Amino acid sequence: MKDIFVVTHTQSIHHEEDRVGGWYDTDLTARGQEDAAATAERLLALIGDRDVEIHSSDLRRASQTAAAIARRFQRPVAETADLREISYGVAGGKPQAWLDARYSPAPDDNRLDYPCGIDGAETRRDVAARVYPRVNAIVERPCETQIIVTHGFTLTLVLAAWMKVPIDACGFLSFPAKSGSITHLRQDNFFRNRAVVSLADASHLTC
């Protein structure tokens, strides 16, 4: 049986400063560090002493969340740019209000390929093109229990890859999640069903 726990990184400085995230690389806040420790404790309660692998986005807010988990499990972290948040191009690091004033809504006819009017921004298809192969490579590894630390937007595409949803069908998918949430995925050994056991659980966090 394969169990995968997908974690969204905890509170980052760009949240506190109300700045656009994406590939803008910031550290966790003090609260983010506390929430990362709480997330690690919850994962330990769920996983116990099973062997576990930890995979993470290489952006600092994710890698620091993963590091807190790794300390609790005494395991290394494999970091990759493939699990990064969507890039907002020139908007990265700017005040959120700057992006809000320039964002144009995605059309209904092709949400996958629309960059929302921001220079250098990734499309949904761009993100899927890097996330899908990485998730597939992680799932194919023999370890039966794995943790993936990623970002709020990217979570949706991690889940879509896990469920084998074709990229062309991902235009309208969205799984909202709070920072520090845990999503539990499971594939059984008999029917080979891929289940979402729990989605974006944040009950281990105080607020």
Side-chain angles (χ1 to χ4, degrees):
M1 187 164 60
K2 173 80 77 172
D3 283 293
I4 300 177
F5 298 87
V6 187
V7 176
T8 50
H9 70 79
T10 53
Q11 187 190 68
S12 177
I13 289 172
H14 83 277
H15 292 147
E16 199 171 55
E17 295 181 345
D18 198 25
R19 294 185 178 273
V20 179
W23 289 13
Y24 178 57
D25 204 8
T26 55
D27 296 313
L28 296 181
T29 62
R31 174 186 161 187
Q33 293 284 1
E34 292 174 1
D35 285 351
T39 302
E41 289 297 331
R42 177 59 178 157
L43 287 167
L44 187 65
L46 291 168
I47 294 170
D49 60 0
R50 285 180 281 171
D51 189 30
V52 62
E53 287 182 344
I54 306 170
H55 302 265
S56 175
S57 158
D58 64 348
L59 293 174
R60 293 202 303 268
R61 56 193 186 272
S63 65
Q64 289 171 10
T65 302
I69 296 167
R71 285 193 295 271
R72 198 68 185 90
F73 282 91
Q74 298 185 332
R75 295 288 190 276
V77 178
E79 295 183 8
T80 174
D82 293 339
L83 294 171
R84 285 184 176 190
E85 183 60 293
I86 188 172
S87 172
Y88 292 101
V90 298
K94 293 187 183 299
Q96 185 65 44
W98 186 96
L99 176 60
D100 293 343
R102 291 162 176 80
Y103 234 163
S104 55
D108 284 339
D109 60 341
N110 188 6
R111 291 168 53 84
L112 278 170
D113 299 307
Y114 189 63
C116 298
I118 306 300
D119 289 343
E122 285 188 305
T123 65
R124 280 174 173 257
R125 191 186 299 276
D126 291 333
V127 182
R130 58 178 166 81
V131 168
Y132 269 57
R134 178 58 55 184
V135 170
N136 291 337
I138 291 171
V139 172
E140 288 169 4
R141 292 178 60 82
C143 186
E144 293 187 346
T145 306
Q146 297 165 311
I147 297 168
I148 297 174
V149 183
T150 188
H151 305 259
F153 179 89
T154 311
L155 171 70
T156 289
L157 293 171
V158 170
L159 267 61
W162 162 257
M163 300 298 293
K164 294 185 177 292
V165 177
I167 290 176
D168 283 342
C170 289
F172 288 88
L173 288 183
S174 179
F175 298 103
K178 290 179 60 176
S179 299
S181 71
I182 299 171
T183 294
H184 182 186
L185 310 176
R186 172 175 289 163
Q187 182 174 39
D188 71 83
N189 289 335
F190 188 80
F191 292 106
R192 311 300 292 168
N193 291 330
R194 291 192 171 190
V196 179
V197 178
S198 63
L199 176 63
D201 177 28
S203 60
H204 54 284
L205 302 179
T206 56
C207 58

